[in-house]
Amino acid sequence: MKQITRDNREWFQEWANEYDNTLGKVKRHHKLLDLVVRESGVKRNDLVLDIGCGTGLLSLKFLDKADCSVTAIDSSAQMLEIFREKIEKCNLNGKIHCIQISAEDMVFEPGQFDIVAATVALHHVKYKEPVIKNIYNCLKDGGRFVLGEMDIDTTGKPDDPQRLVRILQYLIREYELAMKDGGVQAFERMYDNGKKHILNDGEYCIGMGQWEKLCRDAGFKNAEVSPVKGFEWFKVLVATK
Ligand SMILES: C[S@@+](CC[C@H](N)C(=O)[O-])C[C@H]1O[C@@H](n2cnc3c(N)ncnc32)[C@H](O)[C@@H]1O
């Protein structure tokens, strides 16, 4: 079978301009982000790292909730450009600092952040273990890693029919919600992304149990998982250092 490999960045550059009109319109996505912010317990003066910030939907919700400061990283220049326009427009230059860098390459001082958060970004990272270890290191003692992700294990061979059926069960619901909330444009984008899940082309999802294990192996003391109400495929994990 032909192996499809495309630079993640290229794909997100292309998606950036319509991100807020596609996934950004889907209510269950906002429910996930709201749950992440709520579970993070963010408070005044906290230093927050948002990994794979995209157009800034999560970072802005953190700032809505508390007078914190956010460092936001993403590998896509185009996503960050859109986010920077919002920062400028909302006069938030002193509160948000954006850096174009991949999660795999980020270097921060040990013990720098109160909260590290990532929503539907880290499943794009193929080799997750070193990234989770890096997240652990850059958190303060007692700091929290808050992960909002799909709870579906898509590892395995792309030509395994049982795996295909399992992924399609998730995608049916995903497509239904995209069409309902974002119309044809959102559906079309999620439909294209669905093929990437099936072919393991830039989408490398694992189950919440697997994320939990990665966190414990990295040294986190405990990890608690909460479901997004009404959409069982999405969960929020809070791991404490
Ligand atoms: C589905 S979007 C999520 C954006 C935002 N967190 C949200 O919830 O709306 C995934 C984001 O992760 C970024 N991304 C993908 N792979 C990445 C990597 N290896 N390092 C950093 N960012 C990455 C993409 O550029 C994109 O902006």
Side-chain angles (χ1 to χ4, degrees), residues 48-49 51 113-118 135 138-139 144-147:
V48 179
L49 172 65
I51 302 178
F113 296 104
D114 298 282
I115 293 167
V116 176
I135 290 171
C138 71
L139 273 169
R144 290 170 308 284
F145 169 43
V146 193
L147 176 78

Side-chain angles (χ1 to χ4, degrees), residues 8-9 12 15 19 23 29 32-33 50-58 73-76 79 101-104 118-125:
N8 243 351
R9 257 169 306 175
F12 287 107
W15 188 6
Y19 190 85
L23 192 54
H29 185 56
L32 176 77
L33 306 188
D50 178 5
I51 302 178
C53 61
T55 61
L57 299 179
L58 179 69
I73 71 156
D74 202 286
S75 50
S76 157
M79 288 279 187
I101 196 162
S102 292
E104 294 90 329
T119 47
V120 285
L122 289 182
H123 71 267
H124 297 298
V125 171

Side-chain angles (χ1 to χ4, degrees), residues 35-146:
L35 187 60
V36 163
V37 173
R38 202 161 64 236
E39 290 293 310
S40 76
V42 65
K43 55 185 192 320
R44 193 165 184 265
N45 294 332
D46 272 353
L47 299 180
V48 179
L49 172 65
D50 178 5
I51 302 178
C53 61
T55 61
L57 299 179
L58 179 69
S59 296
L60 293 172
K61 283 182 191 275
F62 268 113
L63 280 160
D64 259 0
K65 180 81 177 176
D67 186 14
C68 56
S69 296
V70 179
T71 299
I73 71 156
D74 202 286
S75 50
S76 157
Q78 190 68 32
M79 288 279 187
L80 288 174
E81 199 180 308
I82 291 164
F83 188 16
R84 284 193 179 109
E85 281 167 19
K86 293 182 190 175
I87 294 169
E88 202 65 46
K89 208 167 137 195
C90 302
N91 218 359
L92 286 170
N93 273 312
K95 285 283 160 192
I96 308 175
H97 175 50
C98 293
I99 309 170
Q100 189 194 351
I101 196 162
S102 292
E104 294 90 329
D105 300 328
M106 62 183 189
V107 184
F108 292 107
E109 293 288 318
Q112 193 177 332
F113 296 104
D114 298 282
I115 293 167
V116 176
T119 47
V120 285
L122 289 182
H123 71 267
H124 297 298
V125 171
K126 197 165 186 179
Y127 303 106
K128 299 171 176 63
E129 195 185 318
V131 175
I132 301 295
K133 285 193 171 144
N134 199 357
I135 290 171
Y136 179 85
N137 286 334
C138 71
L139 273 169
K140 294 177 184 171
D141 285 340
R144 290 170 308 284
F145 169 43
V146 193

